[in-house]
Amino acid sequence: MVDTKNNMIDSIGMKSAGPERKQPWDTEGPVVRLVCPDCQGELRVEGDELICGACGAVGRYLDGVPCFTDAKYYWGEVPEQTMRLANELADAEGWQAAVEKTVPRAELRQYICDARRADFQYLWDLPADATILDVGAGWGAIAAALAVNFSRVVAAEGVYERTRFIEKRARQSGLTSLQAVCADFLRLPFAPGQFDAIVLNGVVEWIGLASPEGDPRELQLRFLRRMRELLKPSGLVCVGIENRVGWSMFRGAPDHSGLPYTSLMPRALARYWCRRNQGNYRSDKNASYRTYTYSLGGYRRLFHEAGFEGFQAFHAYDGYNKPSVLLPLENQRALLHFVKRLELGRIGWRGYVREKILQMAARTGVWARGASEYIFLLKRS
Ligand SMILES: C[S@@+](CC[C@H](N)C(=O)[O-])C[C@H]1O[C@@H](n2cnc3c(N)ncnc32)[C@H](O)[C@@H]1O
Ligand SMILES: [Zn+2]
């Protein structure tokens, strides 16, 4: 079935938009199946609309992006007007020039553009024809870097302006294997059992905001169980996230509330504190305290309860958004080797003391429990 704008979908499969793009969903293996985000029923296309037999119209194609959310909803690191401008400039001058012109902060530009942000993919052992889902894909940095190496990458993102950007980025970079889908964390429109890997980079902590009600941990569990369902039996999930009790939190780094120290507080106190002081950090939905992170043990329990096994934890030494050094936390020898390679002794007695402290932290497990940011690899059990 072909719709009027050349956005193609058959009753079960999603295909890329626009006549100028190849149809990877069609020609390079099994398609990625879209289903109704509410009842998981089959979808059909009528005009621009995506229709479920039971629920009616549940989405529509907007500029080549299948959209299942309110396209007016916005949150982000830059104001909505700036994001709109970035999209207009991307059309006129290309996505990279658009970022240069609209994002003044160099660190944010790197976050948007740097392909090394997906370097965790080299921990995987996935074939090139793997199908990968990046949930909460942001500006598409990770999804785009994955699409260079894998034949089907879906970037699911809840903010339509961001999915528009990803779509332009994919098209302009010739990444025919990358498709953006605009959808909510808690209403993802994918049929089960079709992904080899799912990326959740900077996402699990925000799940509590996807619903104004319900216990955030329960929502995170529901979301993770759904991720498990979307995976093939041998599939894996890669999670990048902060440590609730990480070293940087004790040093006053802002938590996801926008305030320091809130992750360290008991949840009830954090809620009270945020209600008094908070300024809706990054999202007008970000009120009270619903952005839960956990300790290393807390993550282990959360993922286990959600049905994942094969838990591997890495310390993302420069942060999970720059995964250039990933230290396997269960390998004490690797940590000690890393300390040796830092050659701290060469910078005098302070370096020597630091070296001894790090060695002790590695031997006692304090390093693993106090690392500021983690990357976890989880296997479907
Ligand atoms: C911290 S950013 C991470 C972006 C991306 N994973 C990366 O590492 O570059 C979290 C992303 O989740 C998206 N997001 C937030 N709430 C969402 C929701 N309810 N459904 C889908 N995406 C959502 C945000 O728009 C944002 O792009
Ligand atoms: Zn339905």
Side-chain angles (χ1 to χ4, degrees):
M1 189 183 299
V2 179
D3 79 3
T4 49
K5 289 204 169 159
N6 278 317
N7 299 317
M8 300 188 199
I9 192 166
D10 57 28
S11 62
I12 55 162
M14 178 177 67
K15 314 211 172 74
S16 61
E20 71 276 24
R21 293 186 62 185
K22 264 170 63 189
Q23 307 297 323
W25 319 101
D26 207 15
T27 57
E28 293 169 16
V31 293
V32 171
R33 287 185 62 212
L34 288 178
V35 293
C36 170
D38 297 322
C39 76
Q40 322 284 297
E42 298 283 321
L43 291 178
R44 65 176 196 280
V45 176
E46 278 177 24
D48 283 345
E49 286 199 311
L50 290 148
I51 315 264
C52 163
C55 309
V58 288
R60 63 173 56 236
Y61 271 100
L62 295 171
D63 263 354
V65 176
C67 183
F68 297 87
T69 64
D70 173 6
K72 293 198 191 80
Y73 178 66
Y74 183 80
W75 85 336
E77 302 87 1
V78 299
E80 185 172 2
Q81 282 304 101
T82 310
M83 190 72 214
R84 287 234 180 84
L85 178 64
N87 275 323
E88 281 162 29
L89 283 171
D91 276 338
E93 302 177 32
W95 71 271
Q96 277 147 314
V99 173
E100 284 297 320
K101 289 193 174 167
T102 55
V103 180
R105 226 165 23 99
E107 203 188 341
L108 183 54
R109 285 202 302 274
Q110 189 191 13
Y111 172 84
I112 296 167
C113 300
D114 193 347
R116 288 175 298 183
R117 295 198 47 229
D119 274 1
F120 54 78
Q121 66 181 292
Y122 299 105
L123 294 171
W124 300 343
D125 190 16
L126 291 180
D129 68 351
T131 304
I132 298 175
L133 173 63
D134 183 10
V135 179
W139 300 69
I142 291 174
L146 293 173
V148 172
N149 294 326
F150 295 101
S151 53
R152 278 172 301 277
V153 178
V154 180
E157 165 58 50
V159 174
Y160 171 63
E161 286 298 328
R162 290 180 181 250
T163 53
R164 266 180 87 200
F165 182 85
I166 297 172
E167 177 60 24
K168 294 175 201 301
R169 179 178 191 157
R171 197 161 12 90
Q172 292 170 9
S173 311
L175 295 172
T176 54
S177 55
L178 175 56
Q179 171 74 46
V181 173
C182 189
D184 188 273
F185 289 154
L186 298 178
R187 293 177 63 245
L188 290 173
F190 304 112
Q194 54 178 338
F195 295 100
D196 295 279
I198 298 179
V199 178
L200 306 173
N201 200 65
V203 158
V204 175
E205 63 274 40
W206 298 105
I207 299 297
L209 296 186
S211 165
E213 285 161 11
D215 175 53
R217 188 174 189 276
E218 285 304 315
L219 291 169
Q220 287 168 323
L221 272 175
R222 185 174 129 198
F223 169 78
L224 288 166
R225 287 183 181 130
R226 174 87 172 112
M227 294 303 100
R228 183 178 177 279
E229 212 176 86
L230 295 182
L231 287 172
K232 292 179 186 170
S234 60
L236 57 91
V237 168
C238 179
V239 179
I241 198 159
E242 290 81 0
N243 180 356
R244 177 180 180 182
V245 291
W247 176 233
S248 63
M249 292 301 163
F250 287 99
R251 296 183 69 195
D255 187 16
H256 301 88
S257 56
L259 302 170
Y261 308 117
T262 47
S263 75
L264 300 174
M265 297 175 187
R267 304 294 194 200
L269 177 59
R271 279 195 289 277
Y272 166 76
W273 189 250
C274 288
R275 274 198 294 269
R276 279 194 50 164
N277 298 301
Q278 198 178 38
N280 303 100
Y281 177 62
R282 284 192 179 176
S283 164
D284 50 14
K285 291 185 182 169
N286 199 358
S288 183
Y289 190 74
R290 299 182 62 78
T291 50
Y292 284 16
T293 50
Y294 301 88
S295 64
L296 184 60
Y299 284 119
R300 196 187 287 273
R301 285 190 291 279
L302 181 80
F303 298 141
H304 181 74
E305 263 182 69
F308 289 100
E309 282 177 4
F311 174 90
Q312 269 183 288
F314 297 84
H315 176 194
Y317 190 73
D318 300 309
Y320 63 78
N321 284 319
K322 292 181 208 147
S324 43
V325 176
L326 294 179
L327 302 168
L329 287 173
E330 271 158 33
N331 188 336
Q332 203 183 92
R333 282 182 57 209
L335 294 180
L336 291 170
H337 175 71
F338 180 70
V339 177
K340 201 164 137 196
R341 291 288 295 275
L342 290 174
E343 298 187 351
L344 292 167
R346 283 177 19 162
I347 56 170
W349 70 269
R350 278 172 211 272
Y352 180 76
V353 170
R354 199 164 162 231
E355 184 175 87
K356 291 294 156 209
I357 291 173
L358 286 177
Q359 283 169 346
M360 210 183 337
R363 290 197 178 100
T364 55
V366 168
W367 188 320
R369 289 195 295 275
S372 295
E373 300 194 17
Y374 296 122
I375 284 198
F376 298 111
L377 283 190
L378 315 170
K379 283 229 169 89
R380 198 191 138 137
S381 53

